[in-house]
Amino acid sequence: KWAEEAPQGISRLLVGQSEIKRQISKVTESAEKVEKSMSELSDSSQAKPTTVVLQTESWRSQLMSKARDGVAGLLLALALTYFLLVGGDRIIKNFVRQLPRVQQKTALRITRDSQHQIAQYLGVLALSNTAVGVATGLMCWAIGLPDPAVWGLIAGLARFIPYLGVILTISLLAVVSAVSLDVVWMMAFAPLGYLVLTTLVGFFIEPWVHGFRMAINPVVIFVSIFFWGWLWGPVGVLLAVPLMTVIQVVLKQIPKLRPVYKVIAR
């Protein structure tokens, strides 16, 4: 239902009853006149034009296909995560035993630091995202948006994807507000409120709670999101920041790779 109403909402959001819409109407009328004159010209000629019909897959079918592929990839990633949680420690121990004694301590230190930083990152992110989702749901309920719990859930989950998740949520809230509400300030309340809320949490509350901000240049994080997303799809987008955390720890702990860490650091 929301997918069907999205074009109407985007039209109201971008055009509305402004001068742009009137100019578009004039262009449409001119195009109709040209089309009419061309059809009269075509009827007067002896050669009858050939009609070519292109059959393409609808955008709804393409959207459902992408969603189905994303859900399948996510389920496979969850299954892999389960097996790694069950047998991951044994794999690490077996791997460390095969290393020379001098390198065993470095490997164990890298493993412990990676586990600690990823657990810290995901734990604080989960708590802050839950708070953002609840606040967004209440905000949508207060201004009368339908299905406020759905938009709160989307707002919380999307923050697991740095940068792109926030942009996606703001766009969705803007379209939904344009479709559902009539007052301009109420249309802008949900997307702008979510932007202020996620900025406040991301820049002040999260660093204050865990005292840890990723020491990686934001450009590197952004590039890694596109790279892992291109490689693994939606699952790669979700895993981009944890993977960069592991890479950061490895680069920092190995002396020969420490110059690379200093290059990508903040």
Side-chain angles (χ1 to χ4, degrees):
K1 181 180 176 182
W2 284 114
E4 291 175 355
E5 295 179 355
Q8 177 187 357
I10 295 174
S11 177
R12 289 181 58 188
L13 186 65
L14 297 180
V15 180
Q17 300 296 330
S18 62
E19 181 65 24
I20 300 177
K21 186 174 182 179
R22 288 192 288 270
Q23 294 296 332
I24 291 177
S25 300
K26 291 181 180 179
V27 172
T28 304
E29 292 176 1
S30 302
E32 290 176 352
K33 291 179 180 178
V34 172
E35 184 180 359
K36 184 178 179 181
S37 63
M38 292 298 293
S39 63
E40 292 175 354
L41 211 64
S42 151
D43 292 338
S44 63
S45 63
Q46 294 181 354
K48 188 176 180 179
T50 303
T51 303
V52 178
V53 179
L54 297 178
Q55 294 183 352
T56 58
E57 189 179 4
S58 66
W59 66 272
R60 292 186 184 89
S61 300
Q62 296 177 6
L63 180 63
M64 291 301 297
S65 177
K66 294 291 185 181
R68 184 172 60 250
D69 294 341
V71 171
L74 184 60
L75 291 177
L76 290 175
L78 291 176
L80 176 60
T81 302
Y82 169 76
F83 288 111
L84 286 175
L85 290 174
V86 171
D89 289 340
R90 184 176 299 275
I91 295 175
I92 292 174
K93 290 178 182 178
N94 292 337
F95 172 74
V96 171
R97 288 195 188 101
Q98 309 308 314
L99 297 175
R101 185 172 296 274
V102 180
Q103 298 179 0
Q104 287 182 0
K105 292 183 179 181
T106 302
L108 290 174
R109 187 166 57 250
I110 291 173
T111 303
R112 285 195 299 268
D113 289 350
S114 300
Q115 291 175 342
H116 174 72
Q117 292 200 21
I118 291 177
Q120 189 178 29
Y121 167 78
L122 293 179
V124 174
L125 193 62
L127 291 176
S128 60
N129 288 356
T130 301
V132 170
V134 172
T136 304
L138 293 174
M139 183 170 55
C140 294
W141 171 77
I143 63 176
L145 281 183
D147 307 320
V150 174
W151 306 119
L153 181 63
I154 292 175
L157 293 177
R159 286 196 77 245
F160 281 98
I161 307 174
Y163 309 120
L164 298 181
V166 174
I167 295 173
L168 175 64
T169 305
I170 291 174
S171 303
L172 286 175
L173 290 176
V175 172
V176 171
S177 300
V179 171
S180 307
L181 306 174
D182 296 325
V183 184
V184 176
W185 71 267
M186 293 184 69
M187 292 181 186
F189 185 79
L192 291 181
Y194 175 76
L195 177 61
V196 172
L197 186 63
T198 193
T199 302
L200 178 66
V201 170
F203 281 92
F204 297 101
I205 298 179
E206 286 177 352
W208 181 76
V209 169
H210 51 60
F212 169 77
R213 186 188 292 270
M214 285 195 67
I216 302 178
N217 194 300
V219 176
V220 178
I221 297 177
F222 205 73
V223 172
S224 70
I225 292 172
F226 279 101
F227 173 75
W228 294 112
W230 166 78
L231 190 64
W232 287 341
V235 176
V237 174
L238 292 174
L239 295 178
V241 175
L243 286 173
M244 282 305 303
T245 303
V246 175
I247 293 172
Q248 172 198 7
V249 172
V250 172
L251 295 176
K252 188 176 181 180
Q253 294 294 339
I254 298 178
K256 292 182 179 180
L257 298 179
R258 200 163 295 162
V260 181
Y261 166 77
K262 293 179 180 181
V263 170
I264 68 173
R266 231 181 243 277

